[in-house]
Amino acid sequence: MIWLVYDGSFEGLLTTVFEVYEYKWPEIHIRKEGMAVPPLFAEIRHVVTDDEKAKRVWKKLIGLFGPSGVRTLWISWLSELETIEETILEVIRYGLKLQQHVLNDFGNLHVLQLQQAVKSVGREKHRMEAFVRFQLTKDAIYFSVIEPDFNVLPLILSHFRDRYADQKWFIYDSRRAYGIYYDLERAELVDFIPNALLSPNGLSSEAFSENEMLFQKLWKDYFKSTNIVGRKNIQLHVQHVPKRYWKYLVEKRL
Amino acid sequence: MQERIQEKLNILADSAKYDVSCSSSGSDRKNENKGLGNASASGICHTYTEDGRCVSLLKILLTNHCIFDCAYCVSRKSNDVKRAAFTVQEVVDLTIGFYRRNYIEGLFLSSGIFKDADTTMERLVRVAKKLRLEHGFNGYIHLKTIPGASNELMHEAGLYADRLSVNIELPTERGLKLLAPDKTFETMEKPMGFISETLTALNDTRKLIVSTPKFAPAGQSTQVIIGATDESDREIIQTADRFYRGFNLKRVYYSGYVPVLSDDRLPSLSMQVPLLRENRLYQADWLMRFYGFGAHEILDDSNPNLDLEIDPKFGWALRNLHLFPLDINKADLELILRVPGIGVRSAQKIVAARKFGNLGWENLRKLGISLNRARYFIVCKDRALETKDYSAETLRHLVLATANSKFSQLHGTQTSLFG
């Protein structure tokens, strides 16, 4: 069995798909560079990302699945699930075989797996749109740290750009070490974090504006007053607000 | 100064929490010219209270000073509670401050009637107007209208708010007479009618003149308190149905009465309405709004109250066994929607997937259908799981015996209440 290792970019994956057909490999595994180590005696081939090959696959896929279908493939890929590349490849193979837009064939195992990944990513995207909590810095930047299970920053960019068009903001994914920075002109994915925001041992409280602590206090108060004590239902609460997010939520921090 | 704001927020959020509307969906207000905010059509819950309810909006009263004396209300005139009032600017600053930090989708503003209806309503409108015009705010605004306010003010409110609500509070006229002597169905329905007519009129105009201003784009809603008087579920559902049809309401909310006051006319402080009843009413409401059921199909003379043990769709199916089993690979979407255990999305997926070939049990299971109930009502490509001619009573037992209901805890409280 051949293990194809690509650089972890979507273009890299498209190049890989191209080469699977180019070299007519019957059975293969696909992994991102740096992910789980293949078995000791596996034959490993590194795929070099090639814009030309990627473009040709992209065009073919647009013809087969339409722009929204290709977006669906891309969203499933953002799940970063260990074998998602193989699932995507199987769906492409299935679509090519039938020469049809097969993404609604929920009866097909690979399509179903892909759609389930899309659903998980979608849920997390929605959660991040809800759970981002901005803190206002002295430099007038609204700053937030998140740690999503899936790589959803590219998906939430437009939501925050449309919503907070008149304030500077920065959302940082601490798990993947990159963020989105909006400077009143454009929102872009960036792989730095302003030094003013992060001290070696985390956020420095001096970085924040005078009013910031007041608003956090008011929000915590509001969260408390709006609760009906006689109806306490922690199980339901935790189901909606999973504990792994608590450390980033003002109202759930002590 | 800071402490005073904190105190006001505590008092005025605390007394607003019994209004159950929390939705921030259905508006299409767009951020133009680099303003603040953009209403999300699907709505966003930003957090959940410890009792499990969604927090989407900053829900507060402008003031809890009130000249009315409704028996069920914490803010009623004769109740001895701490009173407070926000200024217009304070509400605006709180809303903007919370919104910029992504705590909320917008504002739900309600008020005690501190003076006559128009004076109170005018103050609510002023908050919305200031947010929109001075701060370029495009987030969600829900205003609770004041009974008896003039049409002019209602019209202005609709220009700045995304949603307006007129809470009828009690589902029957006799309930109103008993607990809210200052209100009648007539005074509630007049503003509902006005909002509904204005919406229709402006929507018609918009077809010709695109620049026609938006009027309450997320429509109107109302709330009924249940269990404070002795009405049946059937009366509640019929009232809701009448509002959905008559005034084109987007939502009716059901609020199980939380005993907060001791009053001879009210259930005693220890008699809390079972949460399960509230839950079943919402399920029945969904059946009307999304599943094509009529109110008369859900409850009738011989079944005036919802079954607390089983969901209303399963209850309906047990009374209509002659319509089943349904062939999942052939039946129309409207009929698949009526199968217990199959939700709207699953039904749509079934219809999409079967174009590629007939579905079997394994496919259905993987689509996320709860076969626990559905298996008795459908057939598919594979050999039937259950084709026996069970009686309704037997089916009910079979399902209940295998069901591990997520509401079993609520059941416990409920049986002990009546036990």
Side-chain angles (χ1 to χ4, degrees):
Chain A
M1 185 94 64
I2 297 166
W3 291 70
L4 298 177
V5 177
Y6 75 106
D7 63 3
S9 69
F10 196 63
E11 289 75 19
L13 175 64
L14 294 176
T15 309
T16 311
V17 172
F18 187 94
E19 296 196 351
V20 167
Y21 279 89
E22 186 178 20
Y23 298 109
K24 298 195 171 62
W25 279 307
E27 275 187 85
I28 47 111
H29 285 297
I30 309 176
R31 289 291 182 277
K32 285 187 191 65
E33 215 149 53
M35 291 274 286
V37 188
L40 198 54
F41 299 107
E43 186 187 344
I44 300 171
R45 303 185 69 123
H46 287 269
V47 177
V48 181
T49 300
D50 178 325
D51 276 355
E52 200 45 49
K53 289 178 179 177
K55 253 184 217 151
R56 281 176 60 186
V57 174
W58 177 265
K59 260 195 174 161
K60 182 83 193 167
L61 292 180
I62 296 270
L64 195 57
F65 299 122
S68 79
V70 177
R71 187 177 156 82
T72 303
L73 298 183
W74 175 64
I75 292 173
S76 75
W77 174 76
L78 290 175
S79 71
E80 300 176 341
L81 295 173
E82 201 183 329
T83 57
I84 192 68
E85 286 86 357
E86 289 162 31
T87 304
I88 294 173
L89 178 65
E90 289 303 330
V91 170
I92 293 174
R93 277 185 168 147
Y94 182 53
L96 282 173
K97 195 177 105 195
L98 263 60
Q99 282 299 311
Q100 265 190 65
H101 179 291
V102 291
L103 292 176
N104 288 326
D105 186 359
F106 296 92
N108 177 283
L109 183 68
H110 301 296
V111 173
L112 189 68
Q113 276 172 351
L114 184 130
Q115 292 286 14
Q116 277 163 350
V118 168
K119 195 173 162 191
S120 304
V121 174
R123 188 188 301 132
E124 178 119 67
K125 165 187 181 280
H126 193 71
R127 275 186 173 152
M128 285 307 123
E129 287 167 357
F131 293 160
V132 156
R133 294 286 179 267
F134 286 122
Q135 310 188 70
L136 180 59
T137 70
K138 285 198 170 125
D139 306 332
I141 299 171
Y142 285 84
F143 174 66
S144 173
V145 180
I146 57 172
E147 208 178 342
D149 291 345
F150 308 119
N151 184 15
V152 294
L153 276 189
L155 295 174
I156 62 175
L157 186 149
S158 63
H159 171 84
F160 285 98
R161 185 190 53 209
D162 293 345
R163 171 161 298 201
Y164 297 109
D166 72 341
Q167 69 191 41
K168 288 185 190 169
W169 51 265
F170 186 86
I171 301 172
Y172 186 68
D173 179 340
S174 66
R175 177 176 295 184
R176 294 168 190 80
Y178 80 113
I180 317 172
Y181 181 53
Y182 173 76
D183 63 359
L184 298 177
E185 288 298 321
R186 62 185 71 79
E188 275 173 329
L189 301 174
V190 292
D191 56 8
F192 66 88
I193 180 160
N195 283 335
L197 292 174
L198 272 186
S199 64
N201 33 0
L203 285 168
S204 86
S205 59
E206 287 161 30
F208 295 106
S209 81
E210 223 174 285
N211 266 339
E212 183 51 38
M213 290 308 136
L214 169 63
F215 272 107
Q216 293 194 14
K217 180 83 188 78
L218 289 171
W219 176 240
K220 281 186 188 186
D221 281 359
Y222 175 72
F223 182 71
K224 218 182 281 166
S225 337
T226 196
N227 180 40
I228 298 177
V229 180
R231 287 186 162 198
K232 192 167 172 170
N233 186 347
I234 287 294
Q235 201 189 336
L236 188 59
H237 173 68
V238 173
Q239 187 185 320
H240 288 308
V241 190
K243 284 189 176 157
R244 62 181 182 279
Y245 301 119
W246 285 14
K247 60 178 164 173
Y248 298 112
L249 294 172
V250 172
E251 68 273 20
K252 296 305 297 180
R253 270 199 316 244
L254 290 174
Chain B
M1 172 61 198
Q2 191 179 5
E3 276 154 31
R4 184 66 192 133
I5 277 282
Q6 257 177 274
E7 192 189 3
K8 282 187 189 181
L9 182 60
N10 290 342
I11 294 170
L12 295 168
D14 190 77
S15 29
K17 71 187 174 193
Y18 299 102
D19 216 310
V20 288
S21 166
C22 64
S23 154
S24 57
S25 60
S27 199
D28 55 352
R29 206 172 285 278
K30 289 276 161 285
N31 188 341
E32 277 152 13
N33 304 318
K34 293 217 165 185
L36 170 64
N38 198 22
S40 166
S42 59
I44 295 177
C45 303
H46 284 268
T47 190
Y48 291 80
T49 55
E50 291 197 343
D51 59 48
R53 285 171 310 136
C54 148
V55 179
S56 167
L57 304 168
L58 169 62
K59 195 190 295 179
I60 46 174
L61 298 185
L62 189 59
T63 175
N64 63 344
H65 290 282
C66 195
I67 55 173
F68 277 22
D69 207 25
C70 306
Y72 52 80
C73 180
V74 257
S75 304
R76 68 168 171 172
K77 184 173 62 179
S78 58
N79 195 27
D80 182 26
V81 290
K82 256 193 170 176
R83 306 280 168 173
F86 279 124
T87 65
V88 168
Q89 192 60 47
E90 282 167 344
V91 176
V92 168
D93 290 344
L94 270 177
T95 307
I96 298 278
F98 279 8
Y99 192 88
R100 286 197 182 283
R101 287 167 176 76
N102 205 42
Y103 299 163
I104 52 168
E105 285 295 288
L107 173 69
F108 177 170
L109 190 60
S110 172
S111 183
I113 296 143
F114 59 91
K115 223 175 156 190
D116 57 284
D118 272 358
T119 312
T120 310
M121 187 72 197
E122 190 272 337
R123 200 74 60 88
L124 296 180
V125 174
R126 212 185 316 154
V127 171
K129 196 169 176 175
K130 197 165 186 139
L131 279 167
R132 297 281 189 233
L133 301 184
E134 287 177 29
H135 295 267
F137 180 69
N138 301 296
Y140 196 88
I141 299 178
H142 179 158
L143 294 182
K144 187 155 117 188
T145 64
I146 305 300
S150 69
N151 283 353
E152 289 71 33
L153 275 171
M154 295 287 279
H155 187 264
E156 208 184 359
L159 295 179
Y160 300 110
D162 294 282
R163 174 170 287 183
L164 297 174
S165 59
V166 182
N167 283 4
I168 58 159
E169 307 293 11
L170 294 160
T172 60
E173 190 81 58
R174 64 172 196 283
L176 273 180
K177 208 167 263 169
L178 181 69
L179 297 182
D182 300 316
K183 298 177 177 173
T184 62
F185 259 29
E186 203 191 330
T187 54
M188 310 286 164
E189 290 187 4
K190 210 182 109 221
M192 276 191 193
F194 175 78
I195 295 169
S196 169
E197 279 161 28
T198 313
L199 270 167
T200 318
L202 288 183
N203 281 340
D204 286 347
T205 319
R206 197 168 298 114
K207 283 175 198 150
L208 303 170
I209 306 162
V210 185
S211 61
T212 307
K214 280 199 166 76
F215 182 86
Q220 61 168 328
S221 64
T222 191
Q223 158 169 321
V224 292
I225 297 172
I226 57 166
T229 48
D230 64 351
E231 69 285 334
S232 67
D233 290 340
R234 185 172 174 228
E235 284 175 292
I236 297 168
I237 287 298
Q238 279 175 341
T239 299
D241 184 52
R242 195 157 54 84
F243 287 130
Y244 282 132
R245 287 163 192 272
F247 302 116
N248 238 319
L249 257 70
K250 275 279 163 59
R251 286 294 300 269
V252 174
Y253 291 92
Y254 308 90
S255 166
Y257 176 66
V258 180
V260 282
L261 301 164
S262 172
D263 186 304
D264 290 347
R265 292 167 291 174
L266 289 166
S268 82
L269 287 177
S270 61
M271 272 300 291
Q272 186 156 344
V273 177
L275 275 178
L276 200 54
R277 185 180 178 201
E278 197 181 289
N279 183 268
R280 293 287 181 231
L281 280 167
Y282 276 111
Q283 288 177 321
D285 189 84
W286 278 65
L287 289 186
M288 294 196 286
R289 289 190 297 137
F290 300 114
Y291 290 80
F293 281 81
H296 63 282
E297 293 182 285
I298 300 167
L299 291 163
D300 54 35
D301 281 338
S302 43
N303 303 280
N305 285 302
L306 293 164
D307 193 326
L308 290 177
E309 280 189 332
I310 58 174
D311 69 83
K313 202 210 267 185
F314 185 36
W316 172 84
L318 289 182
R319 294 194 298 275
N320 291 278
L321 285 177
H322 60 280
L323 299 172
F324 299 101
L326 211 62
D327 186 343
I328 217 74
N329 287 307
K330 295 202 183 92
D332 289 341
L333 178 67
E334 301 89 82
L335 289 173
I336 296 179
L337 282 171
R338 292 190 165 229
V339 177
I342 300 186
V344 175
R345 290 211 191 147
S346 299
Q348 288 164 342
K349 277 187 195 159
I350 288 172
V351 173
R354 70 188 185 186
K355 285 182 192 140
F356 294 89
N358 285 338
L359 304 173
W361 294 114
E362 206 38 42
N363 300 123
L364 295 175
R365 198 187 308 278
K366 284 192 174 135
L367 283 179
I369 285 153
S370 119
L371 290 178
N372 161 40
R373 270 164 298 162
R375 63 195 287 183
Y376 301 103
F377 299 95
I378 52 177
V379 291
C380 60
K381 182 181 75 172
D382 302 334
R383 201 169 57 84
L385 284 181
E386 299 287 345
T387 45
K388 303 190 186 83
D389 266 335
Y390 291 120
S391 71
E393 203 43 40
T394 315
L395 265 179
R396 184 192 163 92
H397 284 302
L398 276 173
V399 169
L400 280 177
T402 53
N404 191 2
S405 169
K406 59 183 168 184
F407 301 116
S408 51
Q409 269 187 318
L410 304 180
H411 261 302
T413 347
Q414 205 257 313
T415 20
S416 67
L417 246 176
F418 290 112

